[in-house]
Amino acid sequence: MLIQPTSYRMTVEDAILCLILAYRIHGTETGVIAAAYRARDLVRIECRPTFTRIIRCGAVLVWVENYLKVIEV
């Protein structure tokens, strides 16, 4: 399998995984928001508004918990 070169450094899946890990390791909204800021700068420009919405979400921890329920982890 050949991995195509990209101009960005992180896929959306990688960025979401970072948010989940921040949730599991830190367990605080501040930790998840900090990870989202870092990930937002590394994903494709088209995906950045999604991470901005996550950052501005009133309940970031609830968002991550619901995402984990959706993927059944």
Side-chain angles (χ1 to χ4, degrees), residues 10 15 27 52:
M10 188 181 289
T52 301

Side-chain angles (χ1 to χ4, degrees), residues 30-41:
T30 306
V32 176
I33 290 172
Y37 271 115
R38 288 188 201 98
R40 181 186 64 180
D41 296 336

Side-chain angles (χ1 to χ4, degrees), residues 8 10-20 22 32-58 60 63-64 67:
Y8 54 92
M10 188 181 289
T11 64
V12 174
E13 292 83 11
D14 294 338
I16 296 290
L17 178 61
C18 289
L19 298 183
I20 293 170
V32 176
I33 290 172
Y37 271 115
R38 288 188 201 98
R40 181 186 64 180
D41 296 336
L42 298 175
V43 296
R44 293 187 329 211
I45 292 174
E46 301 87 32
C47 302
R48 291 179 185 176
T50 303
F51 284 90
T52 301
R53 283 189 218 111
I54 293 170
I55 292 166
R56 292 183 181 174
C57 176
V60 177
W63 184 89
V64 175
Y67 185 79

